[in-house]
Amino acid sequence: MNRTGIEAALTDLIFNRDLTVEEAADRHFTPEYRQRTDGQWDDRAAFIKHITHVRGLVADGRVEVHDELYDGGKYADRHTVYITKTDGSTVTMEVYVFADLAPDGRFSRIEETTLMLQGSDADRSIGSAR
């Protein structure tokens, strides 16, 4: 199994302009993918719509994984996302993830909680599809 991780997935989704959001999603997420962020569930279509919006706001950034654990089809991590927006402002979010991996190694479900470390109240939408 060639399994994905959050750093590769978010880098492709948000920062890799050589891939479309749909291509990046196909690489790292199953067709039936679901995500719960800060208590709100979204299906894959809503997730892709949200990431497309976020990508339009972001000029540059990176993902730093602090802790990462694979256990069979289970995945967990703690990471920080550093974003520079197109307007020059910056956003830093710490994220805690618990996930299921499909047999092919892609994410089939993620449940995450985000903690805004730097940014405005309006920037909270970067971490959640709300």
Side-chain angles (χ1 to χ4, degrees), residues 81-83 89-94 115-120 123:
V81 181
Y82 301 90
I83 291 174
S89 64
T90 59
V91 177
T92 305
M93 300 181 87
E94 187 169 349
L115 175 62
M116 178 70 72
L117 300 177
Q118 178 184 346
S120 69
D123 293 327

Side-chain angles (χ1 to χ4, degrees), residues 3-91:
R3 59 190 179 189
T4 194
I6 206 71
E7 183 177 8
L10 290 178
T11 298
D12 280 349
L13 283 168
I14 300 172
F15 307 118
N16 184 351
R17 305 301 178 169
D18 293 334
L19 295 173
T20 66
V21 172
E22 192 68 49
E23 289 169 336
D26 287 345
R27 182 180 286 182
H28 300 284
F29 301 88
T30 63
E32 64 276 2
Y33 176 72
R34 294 186 40 177
Q35 178 170 323
R36 184 172 78 163
T37 303
D38 296 331
Q40 178 178 330
W41 280 103
D42 289 304
D43 62 11
R44 182 182 158 116
F47 171 72
I48 289 173
K49 181 179 177 183
H50 171 67
I51 293 298
T52 300
H53 170 74
V54 168
R55 192 185 265 200
L57 300 173
V58 172
D60 194 23
R62 67 185 173 87
V63 178
E64 180 182 352
V65 174
H66 307 291
D67 302 294
E68 186 174 51
L69 174 68
Y70 291 92
D71 185 11
K74 300 291 184 185
Y75 175 89
D77 91 1
R78 180 178 64 90
H79 65 275
T80 302
V81 181
Y82 301 90
I83 291 174
T84 301
K85 294 171 43 180
T86 56
D87 68 5
S89 64
T90 59
V91 177

